[in-house]
Amino acid sequence: MKKLTALFVLCFLLMGCNGNLSPYEQKLPFHPRVLRGKLDNGLSYFILENNEPKERVYLRLIVNAGSMNEDEDQKGVAHIVEHMAFNGSAKYPENQIINALERLGMKFARDINAFTDFENTVYTLNLSGNEESKLALAFEVIDEWMNNLTILEKDLDAERGVVLEEWRSRLSPMLRLGDKKSAIEMAGSRYIRRDPIGEVNIIKNISAKRVKDFYQKWYRPDNMSLVVVGDIDKGKIQSLIKQKLAHSFTPNTPLEQVDYSIPLLNQWRFARVSEPETDYRSIDFSLFEPYREIQTLEDYKQELIDSLLGGLLNNRLKDWEKQHSQLLDSAAFYDSLLGRETRQHLFTLQLAEQDYQGAVALLFRFLAEINQHGFSPQEFEREVARLQALNKRKLDLKRGSLRMADELMTASVMQRPLFLSQSQQYRLKSRLLKEIRLQEVEQRFRQMVALKSKLMLLTQPKATKLSLSSSAQIARLWHESFHQPQRAWEDIAPKDALPALDLTRGTIVDEVHHDKGDIYQFTLSNGSRLIYHYSDKSPQQVYFKALTQGGVRSVPPQDFHQLRSAAKVIDESGIGGLSPQALERLFSKNPLGLSTVLEDYYQGFIGSGKTENFEQVLRLFRLRLEDMTVDPEVLSKYKKDSLEYLKQRDKETEFARRLSKLRHPNVETVYSQRAENLSNLSATQIRRMYQHYIADKTDFTYFIVGDIRLNQVKTLAQQYLAGLPRKEQRRSAYPVVVAVPEKRLSVAGFSEPRAEAELYLVADKRWQAEDSYLLDILADILQEKLRLLLRERESGIYAVNASVFQEPQSPQMEGRITFSAAPDRVDYLLRLTHLVLDEIIQKGVEPELLQKKINEKKIQIKQNFDSLVFVLNQIEQSYLLSQSSDLIYLYQRLEQDVSAEKIHALAKKLFDRKGRFEAVLSQ
């Protein structure tokens, strides 16, 4: 009777059983709250009401055409069309689409954007409000994108340079390495001939007609989908879709079919790649098979079996890499799509030494051992329990509209779209995790390693000769490993709990509540303060910080690097006699963590965990203050990696070191480490350094923010925080004064035709909290002016970044402008940049632009407060700088007080030519 009941429930979940199909053959249901449909012209739409966050709406127009849809003479055109969508339509000539949307408070790149990949082009609009006027404009813009792009020759010519600069900005040794690896993994497929960025000659010379040909061929309603998620009325949105988008015409000709397949050779393949400008030593072992979309309950079950297998493999690999740390830096397993129709099971090893044959043989023995002996029941039970706990946590999560829009976007491109609600996913996984047996997971592993299509790909820094040189050698190693008896894995059960603590309980001697912000301030019996704020923005999540003044700028310069090393090595050695791997296993159901904070002027600890086990975060905190264990292997690896970094001779590292030395003369920085210091570093030094500077300074201000109730916070504070002896140290921190070199720093050596330009700005000024908001506004104004000039008018860059800031402890405010460009245009573009700075000094800022940036800032701040981490940082900064909550909402007053005069006064100081310094890294 129980089996019949369970079967009935399963059939009900799958929305009715077909008498001819077993429950596992039934099609999976769709999210019941998603309104989906198709217009007569073929446009598919998906609408979901979700008020997390309130008043926000996220729209995604998905065109099922990317670089794979291009003809031979159109390589890069799908991406060009994406650019042209912002550069002229019937109703919005040139780049007026951006102007129209920005007038609503939206910001280009943040709220208005698009991207092109192999298979799709996606346009994104993130609305900060759900007013009818904003929605109407958004649908008007979508209609223009779908039907009315003009793609004029003059507009295309103006945009070619921007597209070329986007291509240029991607150039790097790592990109070259990635392209080489992809060419091997996807050999024989259309993918390797259709990089979305395209070919330079085609970008330079393609006609507007051929660009328009692509647009007219592929931008048709039956080849598009629209996703709308947010604080909306889905009935009204459906009406808007029918009103605004139903008029589009769909041609009678069927869509041309595209070949997305990757040829799978039923044999071993072996390849080596190298990139001299990297120090990358790795082994990538892949097994390939055709991908099958999840449609039925059986498919869903198989996907869950794969998840279990992936977790079991990675759990073992973490212990395995530690057992072989002399040879391996890391080991991991990934299961992902390669293209649209191929599944790749990938084992990747990062090597500590260039013993490729030894590492390959080691990996094969690892896999053969699992093939022969499987996994232990205890391993399986732990992983099932972890997934069950994760499943429960996901049910309780507030799923934000942005994430749901992106998930629906992914679902929309499937042949049969699948998108489950949280409750649907929870019920399915809960049931299946109880049904799946260890034997099914082991069977799936054996099926995977038996796949015929295998690739062994070795990555070297330089193309040196190796003892491994053929697929026949690899196949022989594989055969030997799988036909030799392997020792069974010794499963070490995780410890049940952290070590015991002998704590002195303290008390709360004072309590103050601030209505604004709902913040509690407690004074503890040891003299420390605890700041607490309740928030369920991230359900069941709690953050903890213990901070005090200090940091690396408060210790003698000779201890600067040793203290940084000590914090890193001790963190990576574990806590309470447990390694990081053991801690991860112990808390696998509800992950948590604690690490050392070591900044320039502050130090302490940061941790986080789920509400139900947040007490364990505080136990880790107290254990860390007592335990400064140094793992010899961790120390040895740290010294080896750091010494290797010092030997790096790539141009980016050389540029960063020289730049740091010029701007920070006679000051220790992350770039001033010396080999002799590392070579002499010992475990005794590290423990002594950490004990003296970190553990023996406990005059903390504590912060607890998250989904945890007041009574629980009080109880935990008295048990773990109030009784901690308060140790103070008188250490005077020194400010870091930035120098302004007289001459430009020029470093040559790029192997690609690109240059990285940086312009630094420095001016003396006493820090004031009120200036932070003004400096942010000034940075936004500067960045927009530079974007409009250098990108939109000159087509000389793809993107420019401008930041303006002042650290509270610094006697100077600083600015930084960065962009990449063609080497022969850098001087000209830098001159234009100087002219923009000069113009702001002379004329100030336009009132309209200032108001626009204030409006954008209001939206940004409102969105930022949706993040629990942002809230924590605001509270922390306010109390550390003012000993109160006064600075948290300072922006509300500043929004009213900001003026063009105040912005201009700051700009005149910071943009003065005497404080400017150029640095260029070029070919």
Side-chain angles (χ1 to χ4, degrees), residues 757 759 761 782 786 789-790 797 800 817-819 826-840 911 913 916 918:
L759 178 58
L761 313 167
L782 176 59
L786 291 172
L789 176 60
L790 304 183
I797 63 167
V800 59
I817 300 166
T818 63
F819 57 82
V826 164
D827 288 347
Y828 173 66
L829 295 172
L830 277 170
R831 283 199 299 272
L832 292 180
T833 302
H834 284 287
L835 290 177
V836 169
L837 297 172
D838 292 341
E839 183 182 45
I840 294 175
F911 295 172
R913 279 187 172 261
R916 301 180 196 175
E918 295 178 354

Side-chain angles (χ1 to χ4, degrees), residues 296-309:
T296 66
L297 182 63
E298 179 61 30
D299 297 334
Y300 198 83
K301 178 182 178 182
Q302 288 303 315
E303 193 72 12
L304 200 51
I305 287 173
D306 284 333
S307 294
L308 279 164
L309 176 57

Side-chain angles (χ1 to χ4, degrees), residues 586-599:
L586 177 59
F587 299 114
S588 61
K589 292 183 184 179
N590 291 295
L592 54 79
L594 181 94
S595 60
T596 305
V597 172
L598 186 60
E599 301 174 356

Side-chain angles (χ1 to χ4, degrees), residues 26 39 111 167-168 516 547 598 820 855 872:
Q26 293 286 320
L39 300 180
D111 306 312
W167 163 81
R168 193 186 315 279
K516 189 169 186 178
L547 297 175
L598 186 60
S820 62
N855 293 339
L872 170 61

